[in-house]
Amino acid sequence: MRTKRLIHSASLLLILLSVMLSGCQWIQDPKSLMSVPRLPTEKANLKSMIASQLPEGAILIRPTSSDDASAIRVTDLNNDGLADTAVVFYETPEKEVRIHGMVFHRDGDSWRMVVDFDGEGIKLDSVELIDITNDSRLDLVVGYGSNDTDLNKGLVIYTFTQDGINKLFEQPYSQFVIDDLDQNGKNQLFIVNNRRGQSPVLTAFDYQNGKMVKLNELAMDKEVNMYINMVSGFISKDHKGIVMDASAGANYWLTNVVVLNKDKVLEQVLSDDMTLKPYFTTSADINGDGIIEIAMPETPSGWDRLYESYEIPYFTNYFQWDGSNGLKLVDKQYRDYLDRFYLTFPKSWYGRVTVDTKSKKDEILIFVDQNTNEKLAEIRFFTPVMWDLNKEKWTYLSSFGDKIIGIISKEPLKLNKGLPKIPELNNNESNSK
Amino acid sequence: MIKPGIRRSVVLHYFIVVFLTMLILEAIFLISVRTYYYESVSNHLTYHSAVTTSYYQRYLSLGSNEDDQGWLTELLKLFKLDNAEVQILNRSGKVLVTSNEFKVDTPVTTSDVISALNGNINQWTGKQPGTGEAVMAVSAPLLVRGDIVYVLRLVTSLELVNDRINGIVLLSIIVSIAVLIVVLVISLGLANSIVKPVNEITAASAQMARGQFDIRIKEGYKYELGELAKTLNFMAHEIVRSNQLKNDFISSISHELRTPLTGIKGWSETLLSGQYDEAETKLGMNVISKETDRLIGLVEDLLDFSKLQQNKLQFHWHPVSLANVIEDTMLQVKKKAEQKQISLEERVRGTEIPLNADTNRLKQVFLNLIDNAIKFSPKESVITVHTTWDEEKAVVRIVDQGIGISHEHLAKVMDKFYQVNPSHGGTGLGLAITFELVKAHGGEMTIESELDVGTTVIVTLPVRMMPELQIVDEEKS
């Protein structure tokens, strides 16, 4: 009888307790129930496998200048349609060797670590999976760097083997590209090196008979301090080449364009004095036609000599290689020196547009026809209050900090990328200040 | 489970009402719980993206170099949110960088991204490709030089949230079921409180139907059931009483019939023996004739009554002088009154108006009433007939100084077969017939009486009596 009563009261207490406990959960903040979305099983397996193999204190790192910035790269090594290999890099800050890599192979549904290898340097600059050995299998190209971006970095090419990786090649580099420049279906490696006090060297390598063989090298302008930007691709309708933007001398910049000529020899197609520029501009395929343009600043007429370089509202001209030794203009833009906005001039303005010398780069810019002095367009920097008063008449261009930049023009202009803009959003933000 | 009946329908009604209520409340509750949880998560994501993108816009957007992955990786740190995956997409939905370690191969084109490309921060709930996990995503536009170049997308799993909501759903369903069970038990009890008395009353009335009228139902039930019990009890009582009346009637009518028959039989046997002279024979024949009259009167009473009961009595309507009728009646009973030395007085007030009535029936009414008065009046008393006229009706009061009727009998004297004292003789039909006849004339009849003081019978007859119904009846018959 007594035990029965005891059981009775105990169960009652249990129910009360559970109600109270569940009551506590009821008022749980929904935010605390959020969680990172799960990975698909395969990826989750791989991730937990990697985590189990990582030494204590190690963290996964991402390359800083690769197109693919993911930390874990899963790839189809042998092109059979099945992702079979994973590559990760990790950092052990307190150890002698800072950067390490791991390669995993897939075994059915699980992953197996094949190799844990030591990297070089203290920064992971780039990681590419690309076929450089021309065997239809991807190879691993890794750029290791230091804390100083100006110094040469180390390029290492690994090939994947059955039981790990094999270091194929190692070279210092400042910039590199891998491309099929002679369009023979095989990739080549092009490395540019800085050499202190000497001219930088552009070297072409090719994979032959189990090793990377130097094809050719080209000494660049001695004045070049370092190459900042290096891109490869089509430079004319059917020619591929390498375009390199560099800082040179005391305070100027230049662009080199290099091709592989008929004899598979590296050759510069433009003379250096054609591409000298007073400040750095990045060459790229600016108009999306698949051909790389060379960016060159132009001093608007009326500004040369009278003004300091920093005062001049430069235009930026984009040229394409004409196939021999010349350049042709394909695009003319005004780009803000702080990159706050840019606009593309219509073809009709070419040869006659300039900037009124009363203009100030941070306040007002008046584009005029240099022959008739007729105003073509005007850019003005407004405070939010002033913008509110003028926004009916002016077209929103950009905003930054507490400035709103507006434009009026006689002709329709392509502003920035020409994408839809939302001045309200920026406007409100500026107003809410 | 429960056999059909009140109990089942009561339980069922309770159950349905409570079930529907629970269902509606449950639905409202669950919708609000879900909304609360989803809104909270969505708000958290939206707020975070709004704050960080605003910060980015103001201080960081100039640093953007559109093809610099390293910079995007840095940006991830700004947008980082615990328990959510942070993605930066380009305009075509390609995931450029994500806080997750893996590359996302397929472009994202969910509604939140499209909305972000139109400049709005918006939310999307759906299934994560690859895992099918329920996720919520909030996307916000990232502007470079006023253009939407990137989209910030925060993705969080709703699995735990859904688990919690499901837990709440389960709990509330359990609570609902518990409530329903409690309601069932309570409604069973309630149904019993109705069904049990009904069953008891049914059982008792079944016994009554079998003739056991001494059975009485407990009257302590509440409300309608109590009334029902009382009514049934009253009914049983009345059945017993009317049985009694019937028995009394049969015995009195037998007696009434036998008395004249005895006289007739005696005299007829005497006369048959033929030893009497003419005078004696005449006397005997007179007696037989008188007694036969009495029998005929009795039988006629009975016939009248049964016709009245079946609405078959025929009336001959024509204008009648009420004063003449009363005068005739008084003449008829004068002899009887004189025998008891009772003086009959008549008084009239107001102007007489001819009534539409049946003379004989009306005469029957007053004959009966005055005869009764004489019957129950002591010797040397006065019986007064007051007639009062106004424009609408005639009121006739027959006042005697007789024995009177006690209060308990007063209500029943007009019932059929009822006799205050059955030993007095008579059928007990007189007053009942009188009452029915007055009613047939559209009138009313009431009796006021005090024991040992006297009785007043009040007959009210309307002046404008249009007995259409009776005429129709006549035509039919």
Side-chain angles (χ1 to χ4, degrees), chain B residues 431-443:
Chain B
L431 266 181
I433 291 169
T434 308
F435 180 59
E436 293 293 332
L437 288 176
V438 170
K439 261 204 329 203
H441 280 84

Side-chain angles (χ1 to χ4, degrees), chain A residues 359-429:
Chain A
S359 302
K360 286 198 169 125
K361 286 200 286 189
D362 272 326
E363 288 164 29
I364 184 165
L365 283 157
I366 303 162
F367 297 92
V368 294
D369 185 324
Q370 59 184 355
N371 305 324
T372 61
N373 229 12
E374 174 199 12
K375 188 159 91 175
L376 297 170
E378 182 178 341
I379 290 171
R380 208 181 277 181
F381 290 63
F382 294 98
T383 60
V385 179
M386 287 308 291
W387 174 252
D388 270 349
L389 294 172
N390 289 290
K391 65 181 173 190
E392 301 301 325
K393 204 178 140 205
W394 290 74
T395 305
Y396 173 84
L397 187 56
S398 181
S399 69
F400 195 73
D402 63 349
K403 284 282 190 290
I404 293 163
I405 305 158
I407 181 167
I408 45 170
S409 169
K410 290 184 74 178
E411 286 177 57
L413 297 176
K414 189 188 172 202
L415 308 176
N416 300 328
K417 279 193 154 184
L419 300 170
K421 269 180 270 297
I422 329 151
E424 293 83 10
L425 185 72
N426 290 273
N427 203 6
N428 288 344
E429 275 175 17

Side-chain angles (χ1 to χ4, degrees), chain B residues 374-405:
Chain B
I374 294 166
K375 205 158 140 193
F376 296 105
S377 285
K379 281 182 178 174
E380 298 170 15
S381 63
V382 182
I383 293 170
T384 321
V385 179
H386 294 270
T387 311
T388 315
W389 291 90
D390 61 29
E391 280 173 12
E392 285 173 359
K393 59 188 186 295
V395 181
V396 184
R397 281 194 176 80
I398 298 144
V399 187
D400 66 36
Q401 296 165 340
I403 54 170
I405 308 162

Side-chain angles (χ1 to χ4, degrees), chain A residues 161-333:
Chain A
T161 61
Q162 202 58 38
D163 49 357
I165 52 164
N166 184 25
K167 191 188 276 186
L168 175 73
F169 178 76
E170 192 169 2
Q171 275 282 316
Y173 76 102
S174 172
Q175 302 278 340
F176 77 90
V177 291
I178 296 169
D179 203 343
D180 179 14
L181 220 57
D182 55 2
Q183 299 179 64
N184 65 354
K186 290 177 181 171
N187 279 330
Q188 292 112 27
L189 171 68
F190 302 91
I191 291 175
V192 65
N193 255 322
N194 295 329
R195 292 187 301 179
R196 212 161 178 77
Q198 302 175 46
S199 36
V201 176
L202 175 68
T203 318
F205 291 93
D206 202 358
Y207 181 79
Q208 285 166 14
N209 304 322
K211 57 181 189 289
M212 296 300 286
V213 178
K214 186 196 282 184
L215 281 181
N216 209 306
E217 68 177 28
L218 177 65
M220 307 304 286
D221 192 319
K222 192 167 179 266
E223 289 297 309
V224 169
N225 301 324
M226 69 170 295
Y227 285 99
I228 298 163
N229 178 42
M230 181 176 186
V231 286
S232 72
F234 283 99
I235 54 166
S236 72
K237 246 198 164 79
D238 37 32
H239 272 83
K240 275 189 154 184
I242 301 167
V243 179
M244 299 185 287
D245 298 313
S247 78
N251 198 13
Y252 69 96
W253 284 260
L254 56 81
T255 300
N256 292 136
V257 181
V258 178
V259 295
L260 266 182
N261 65 14
K262 304 190 286 292
D263 308 322
K264 299 222 172 186
V265 175
L266 290 168
E267 188 184 64
Q268 245 181 284
V269 295
L270 298 174
S271 62
D272 281 352
D273 52 344
M274 283 180 77
T275 59
L276 288 185
K277 40 194 177 186
Y279 65 95
F280 176 74
T281 52
T282 307
S283 299
D285 178 13
I286 205 81
N287 57 2
D289 64 354
I291 299 169
I292 298 163
E293 282 89 34
I294 297 141
M296 293 292 295
E298 176 198 337
T299 310
S301 71
W303 286 82
D304 32 348
R305 275 185 272 281
L306 288 167
Y307 296 89
E308 293 293 330
S309 175
Y310 63 84
E311 289 176 312
I312 300 173
Y314 290 105
F315 295 157
T316 307
N317 290 330
Y318 288 90
F319 296 100
Q320 286 177 0
W321 180 49
D322 67 357
S324 56
N325 293 318
L327 291 169
K328 55 178 184 197
L329 181 66
V330 293
D331 217 15
K332 198 182 191 77
Q333 300 183 348

Side-chain angles (χ1 to χ4, degrees), chain A residues 53-66:
Chain A
Q53 297 294 336
L54 275 185
E56 211 174 310
I59 45 168
L60 294 181
I61 48 174
R62 298 164 186 258
T64 48
S65 41
S66 285

Side-chain angles (χ1 to χ4, degrees), chain A residues 22 25-41 43-44 46-47 50 60 62-74 335 338-342 396-401 415-422 425-426 429-430 432-433, chain B residues 29 36-37 40-41 44-45 53-54 57-62 64 66-71 73 76 81-85 91 96-103 105 117-119 128 130-131 133 135 141 143 145-149 155-157 159-161 164 168 171:
Chain A
S22 63
Q25 283 185 323
W26 272 58
I27 51 167
Q28 206 174 349
D29 184 357
K31 288 201 285 283
S32 67
L33 293 168
M34 282 168 50
S35 61
V36 177
R38 259 190 293 118
L39 290 166
T41 328
K43 286 183 177 170
L46 175 58
K47 197 183 167 185
I50 292 167
L60 294 181
R62 298 164 186 258
T64 48
S65 41
S66 285
D67 279 350
D68 177 5
S70 47
I72 302 173
R73 262 150 235 270
V74 182
R335 298 186 82 93
L338 283 179
D339 232 1
R340 289 172 291 200
F341 63 90
Y342 64 89
Y396 173 84
L397 187 56
S398 181
S399 69
F400 195 73
L415 308 176
N416 300 328
K417 279 193 154 184
L419 300 170
K421 269 180 270 297
I422 329 151
L425 185 72
N426 290 273
E429 275 175 17
S430 307
S432 66
K433 233 180 158 175
Chain B
F29 173 69
Y36 166 68
Y37 272 86
S40 298
V41 173
H44 184 56
L45 295 179
T53 53
S54 160
Q57 228 65 64
R58 195 158 307 157
Y59 304 114
L60 295 172
S61 62
L62 276 201
S64 122
E66 279 158 48
D67 300 307
D68 189 348
Q69 285 286 323
W71 183 73
T73 315
L76 273 186
L81 178 65
D82 285 343
N83 298 322
E85 182 181 335
R91 287 191 60 86
L96 299 174
V97 65
T98 163
S99 62
N100 170 342
E101 290 83 353
F102 293 92
K103 190 178 173 181
D105 299 320
L117 288 174
N118 290 321
Q128 179 85 325
T131 57
E133 190 180 16
V135 291
L143 285 80
R145 287 182 286 273
D147 295 327
I148 303 165
V149 174
V155 189
T156 189
S157 166
E159 298 250 296
L160 289 174
V161 173
R164 167 50 37 84
I168 293 171
L171 192 66

